[in-house]
């Protein structure tokens, strides 16, 4: 599946910003299942300095510095991407979840260092007893891993209410677990907290979701904005991506921007400004299928 995507972010400030430094995660990843045909990130006002590098997780980041006073700041990211994500193996062919936990956390050097680093707590996702208690019904003894992953995804979709404005970026995951409401970022954090509490490996994925579903299918939640989901480690296959907001195994409807331990690692725009006072934020995403 091939897509053209436009992502515009506009900050409007109550007072002039005299100096701004930002880090942007707005360039899609190149992966074995995703090919970036073209990508461009434009800023208004133009930065005095701009650089590009890969972060610890292999995501493309752009660092910018603006030293001209400004009362608004707009970033327009556009790209064309081709996606062909392989479907996961049959659930009953995956190992028991306890065996996977043992491979990740057992004595000696773990099976996959790449996966093992995502078993630990992170700034926004601590290890929580409540998360473990919520997860356990999906992972009875000897449950094949993918059965457990799919059941947990289904339960979060069923038990948690999608409610924009009910949470903020700073809302602790334990509050989301208690209140059972939030947005895609919150549901991804909840599922990752559940999996890590069991000793399994899960990472946070940011990206986009196709706005228009295939004919006859319902419109997916989280379109028209950046989206978030979960990637869990499955030995013998690799990473399996799951969307708890929509109860989906991720396939060709999702485009990956970046991944990390939690939202703080991959926020689309992060930075420090001098001045500005109060501000408002407007985000618009357009994702179109190309023939």
């Amino acid at each position: 599946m091939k897509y053209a995507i436009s992502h515009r972010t506009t900050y409007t400030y109550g007072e002039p910003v005299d100096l701004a430094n930002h880090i942007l995660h707005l360039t899609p990843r190149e992966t074995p299942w995703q090919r970036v045909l073209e990508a461009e990130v434009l800023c208004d006002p133009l930065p005095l300095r701009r650089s590009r590098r890969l972060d610890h997780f292999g995501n493309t980041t752009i660092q910018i510095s603006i030293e001209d006073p400004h009362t608004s700041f707009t970033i327009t990211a556009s790209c064309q991407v081709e996606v062909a994500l392989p479907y996961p193996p049959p659930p009953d062919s995956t190992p028991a979840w306890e065996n996977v936990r043992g491979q990740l956390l057992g004595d000696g050097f773990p099976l996959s260092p790449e996966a093992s680093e995502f078993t630990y707590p992170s700034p926004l996702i601590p290890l929580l007893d409540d998360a473990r208690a919520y997860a356990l019904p999906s992972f009875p003894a000897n449950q094949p891993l993918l059965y457990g992953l799919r059941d947990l995804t289904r339960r979060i979709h069923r038990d948690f209410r999608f409610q924009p404005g009910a949470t903020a970026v700073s809302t602790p995951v334990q509050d989301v677990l208690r209140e059972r409401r939030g947005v895609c970022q919150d549901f991804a954090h909840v599922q990752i907290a559940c999996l890590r509490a069991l000793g399994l490996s899960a990472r946070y994925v940011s990206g986009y979701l196709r706005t228009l579903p295939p004919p006859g299918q319902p419109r997916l939640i989280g379109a028209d904005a950046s989206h978030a989901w979960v990637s869990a480690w499955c030995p013998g296959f690799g990473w399996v991506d799951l969307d708890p907001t929509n109860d989906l195994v991720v396939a060709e409807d999702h485009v990956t921007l970046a991944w990390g331990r939690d939202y703080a690692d991959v926020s689309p725009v992060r930075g420090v400004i001098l001045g500005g006072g109060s501000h408002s934020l407007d985000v618009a995403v357009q994702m179109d299928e190309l023939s």
Side-chain angles (χ1 to χ4, degrees), residues 11-206:
Y11 291 90
T12 303
Y13 304 104
E15 301 291 338
V17 172
D18 296 316
L19 174 67
N21 290 287
H22 296 284
I23 299 175
L24 313 178
H25 285 99
L26 289 167
T27 304
R29 288 188 70 120
E30 285 276 357
T31 72
W33 64 87
Q34 179 171 285
R35 189 161 62 104
V36 181
L37 306 176
E38 58 182 63
E40 182 178 51
V41 178
L42 301 176
C43 300
D44 182 19
L46 288 173
L48 178 66
R49 288 181 293 275
R50 174 172 172 152
S51 62
R52 178 186 178 109
R53 69 177 183 87
L54 297 181
D55 67 12
H56 168 73
F57 304 105
N59 306 305
T60 296
T61 66
I62 297 174
Q63 294 85 42
I64 61 172
S65 179
I66 303 172
E67 298 187 6
D68 292 329
H70 54 282
T71 55
S72 67
F73 174 47
T74 298
I75 312 153
T76 303
S78 57
C79 64
Q80 290 191 15
V81 179
E82 188 171 26
V83 181
L85 193 66
Y87 203 76
D92 57 6
S93 71
T94 59
W97 74 271
E98 301 99 327
N99 293 342
V100 177
R101 178 183 59 188
Q103 292 177 30
L104 291 165
L105 302 179
D107 294 336
F109 202 67
L111 179 66
S112 173
E114 174 202 7
S116 293
E117 72 172 319
F118 293 104
T119 63
Y120 297 102
S122 58
L124 298 181
I125 308 178
L127 292 181
L128 299 170
D129 290 338
D130 288 348
R132 177 180 172 81
Y134 182 82
L136 277 173
S138 295
F139 292 90
N142 299 316
Q143 174 84 298
L145 176 64
L146 193 49
Y147 273 126
L149 294 173
R150 288 294 292 120
D151 187 68
L152 179 61
T153 303
R154 187 177 303 110
R155 289 174 54 222
I156 294 172
H157 175 73
R158 180 194 67 199
D159 296 344
F160 289 72
R161 182 156 55 100
F162 186 84
Q163 186 177 346
T167 57
V169 171
S170 58
T171 301
V173 67
Q174 50 264 47
D175 290 358
V176 181
L177 268 166
R178 183 180 63 251
E179 299 295 331
R180 303 288 176 95
R181 59 184 180 175
V183 294
C184 56
Q185 169 194 309
D186 301 303
F187 303 156
H189 279 170
V190 165
Q191 186 159 11
I192 293 168
C194 288
L195 295 174
R196 291 181 186 167
L198 296 177
L200 299 172
S201 177
R203 63 192 184 191
Y204 181 99
V205 187
S206 70

